[in-house]
Amino acid sequence: MKFFVDTADIAEITELAETGLLDGVTTNPSLVAKTGKDFVTTVKEICRIVKGPVSAEVTATDHAGMLAEGRKLAGIATNVAVKVPLTMDGLKTCKALSDDGIMVNVTLCFSPAQAILAAKAGAAFVSPFVGRLDDIGQDGMGLIADIVQIYNNYSDFQTEVLVASIRHPMHVVEAGKLGADVCTVPPAVLKALVKHPLTDKGLDAFLADWKKTGQSILGGT
């Protein structure tokens, strides 16, 4: 499974990239707005830090506007994945951009039927939003299971399932059990994946015992 981080915060991205665990980044207009920084400049900086796909979202809603914005965003760096909404104009734009060899992330997917259309339009990624479905009493991870099953039925579907709107570590675990290709997570969730109270307890015990020996691995006492 690939890990993308869902943020436009340069400091957060830099810190996580240094772990070697980061495979890409997803952004959206809301995340960029929170930084107060210029959108294009921010995307360019993220692409410099992270070599994997960096999703940058169009803001136009019509095909002509999305296509123009998408081509401009794709020109920022070779690892930009243009993010378009799962609308008819978005799918039309996805087809045009993907035919030109540009990575496209089709976002705001909430049904298996929508995911099928994204794959047929040539999307590199489809982003089903599990947390938002959970919020309205629907089964977000059930959607992931359906999409993965459908995509596995057709060898010509090359679209990767990018699980989005992740709220907690168990979303990541369930996505992995279902065979999703990518999870894009907020920085706090990615950091939470490493935490376990028994790990902390065990480390404390090891260090306490080591201290009693008075030894140092690097030499001296």
Side-chain angles (χ1 to χ4, degrees), residues 6-14 27 31 35 37 42 46 49 187:
D6 194 36
T7 184
D9 186 310
I10 298 297
E12 289 274 21
I13 293 168
T14 300
T27 70
L31 291 172
T35 70
K37 297 180 179 178
T42 299
I46 294 171
I49 299 167

Side-chain angles (χ1 to χ4, degrees), residues 2 5 33 52 58 89 92 97 127 132 135 144 154 181 218:
K2 299 173 188 174
V5 65
V58 300
D89 278 357
K92 186 177 179 181
L97 292 174
S127 292
R132 295 195 190 183
D135 289 345
I144 303 304
Y154 299 97
D181 302 287
L218 296 179

